């Protein structure tokens, strides 16, 4: 039976109180979740420490949504991988499409963030994905290959999680009418096979865990997880409400 990875990206959807309430409710509700499931939550930076404390007690990992690559120092507004590690982080998202396209994060910066996660023993969850325009112009494979090659440049990799998140499939908000365009499970599977091929060509000894992300919902999660190259999901909007997150867990 394959191990399933359920990762929740809370983005900037929840404030401090809402994050703590949801974390406590999840900790209570999932006490008996399948030992074959690895769960991780990526809360906002303000709620990171208390959420991480509550969740690690029940075996749920935590990670930041972004890290800065240097250690402590004069970097106003940033939080480093080192500081998150000391606060209990196990993972970190790196290169999420909202970081790339909203905040202009470059491939070079993403590579530095990957390196600093490895330096501080955080498992990086590298997010890759093409925009609608790139897909329409037939550039999908080239874009994904470029994102992987530059992010992994010169790294001494051991553990790696890659989330394939087509930008056009990501929800635009938490509302029911804000789902992204549907990415078919067979299309997601095809891209995951491509990603494995690219990573193996660069790092023959590394077997990355592959997640799919983009408007995953309780009624669609099982179709993605049935695919042989999809190990789990990275869920945004649908992970920020207790009932839909529990339905996703139960659907596994
Ligand atoms: P979504 O977000 O599930 O709200 O589409 C996924 C993500 O961006 O990580």
């Amino acid at each position: 039976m394959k191990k399933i990875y359920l990762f929740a990206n809370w983005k900037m959807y929840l404030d401090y109180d809402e994050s703590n309430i949801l974390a406590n409710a999840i900790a209570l509700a999932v006490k008996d979740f399948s030992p074959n499931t690895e769960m991780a939550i990526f809360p906002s930076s303000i709620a990171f420490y208390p959420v991480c404390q509550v969740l690690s007690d029940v075996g749920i990992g935590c990670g930041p949504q972004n890290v800065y690559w240097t250690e402590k120092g004069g970097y106003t507004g940033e939080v480093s991988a080192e500081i998150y590690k000391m606060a209990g982080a196990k993972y970190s998202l790196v290169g999420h499409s909202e970081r790339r396209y909203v905040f202009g994060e470059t491939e070079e910066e993403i590579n530095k963030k990957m390196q600093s996660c490895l330096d501080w023993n955080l498992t990086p969850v590298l997010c890759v994905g093409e925009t609608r325009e790139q897909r329409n112009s037939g550039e999908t494979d080239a874009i994904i290959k470029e994102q992987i090659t530059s992010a992994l440049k010169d790294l001494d990799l051991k553990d790696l999680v890659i989330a394939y998140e087509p930008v056009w499939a990501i929800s635009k908000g938490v509302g029911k009418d804000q789902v992204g365009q549907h990415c078919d499970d067979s299309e997601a599977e095809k891209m995951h096979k491509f990603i494995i091929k690219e990573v193996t060509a660069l790092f023959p000894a590394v077997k990355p865990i592959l997640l799919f992300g983009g408007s995953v919902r309780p009624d669609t999660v099982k179709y993605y997880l049935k695919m042989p190259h999809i190990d789990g999901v990275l869920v945004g909007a649908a992970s920020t409400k207790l009932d839909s997150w529990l339905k996703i867990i139960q659907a596994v």
Side-chain angles (χ1 to χ4, degrees):
M1 201 172 149
K2 78 174 180 184
K3 186 162 183 179
I4 300 288
Y5 296 79
L6 298 177
F7 284 18
N9 176 9
W10 288 356
K11 306 194 181 188
M12 204 181 74
Y13 286 132
L14 304 173
D15 65 24
Y16 182 81
D17 286 345
E18 289 163 342
S19 302
N20 282 295
I21 290 167
L22 182 56
N24 279 286
I26 291 172
L28 270 181
V30 302
K31 281 222 164 79
D32 310 313
F33 77 97
S34 158
N36 220 26
T37 305
E38 167 87 2
M39 203 185 299
I41 307 282
F42 297 84
S44 66
S45 52
I46 192 167
F48 184 83
Y49 185 72
V51 164
C52 196
Q53 297 282 105
V54 165
L55 295 178
S56 58
D57 283 351
V58 292
I60 299 175
C62 257
Q65 299 170 10
N66 180 35
V67 289
Y68 196 59
W69 59 80
T70 64
E71 296 163 22
K72 288 179 195 145
Y75 300 97
T76 303
E78 295 293 337
V79 183
S80 66
E82 175 191 11
I83 291 173
Y84 277 118
K85 181 70 187 181
M86 291 189 302
K90 181 172 177 192
Y91 298 96
S92 176
L93 298 184
V94 179
H96 188 278
S97 65
E98 286 149 17
R99 302 292 323 162
R100 293 174 190 264
Y101 299 113
V102 181
F103 300 102
E105 211 163 83
T106 64
E107 298 294 356
E108 199 190 354
E109 289 168 339
I110 290 166
N111 177 247
K112 286 185 185 161
K113 291 178 183 201
M114 292 291 293
Q115 179 64 61
S116 95
C117 286
L118 300 180
D119 290 346
W120 290 100
N121 212 15
L122 298 181
T123 300
V125 181
L126 172 67
C127 303
V128 298
E130 79 288 355
T131 63
R132 176 41 77 190
E133 295 69 35
Q134 289 163 339
R135 175 162 281 259
N136 289 348
S137 58
E139 293 173 90
T140 301
D141 288 3
I143 292 289
I144 302 301
K145 184 181 173 130
E146 167 60 17
Q147 289 177 348
I148 291 173
T149 312
S150 12
L152 304 187
K153 188 164 169 268
D154 298 333
L155 299 184
D156 183 13
L157 272 183
K158 282 188 280 308
D159 296 328
L160 173 66
V161 183
I162 297 189
Y164 170 61
E165 300 200 301
V167 180
W168 43 273
I170 292 177
S171 315
K172 288 160 192 59
V174 286
K176 279 200 173 63
D177 53 345
Q178 287 171 303
V179 286
Q181 279 176 271
H182 180 65
C183 177
D184 199 60
D185 46 5
S186 55
E187 182 54 29
E189 167 70 4
K190 193 178 114 208
M191 291 310 300
H192 283 227
K193 271 167 101 170
F194 176 75
I195 290 168
I196 279 278
K197 181 168 81 60
E198 293 304 317
V199 175
T200 310
L202 296 168
F203 296 92
V206 173
K207 165 125 188 31
I209 290 155
L210 297 187
L211 313 179
F212 173 75
S215 298
V216 173
R217 296 288 182 273
D219 55 334
T220 58
V221 63
K222 58 179 180 296
Y223 299 109
Y224 294 114
L225 294 178
K226 268 190 200 141
M227 294 290 149
H229 293 84
I230 301 183
D231 302 303
V233 285
L234 177 58
V235 185
S239 72
T240 61
K241 297 223 159 45
L242 184 65
D243 64 333
S244 58
W245 185 236
L246 293 182
K247 278 185 194 147
I248 286 174
I249 296 167
Q250 282 149 12
V252 170

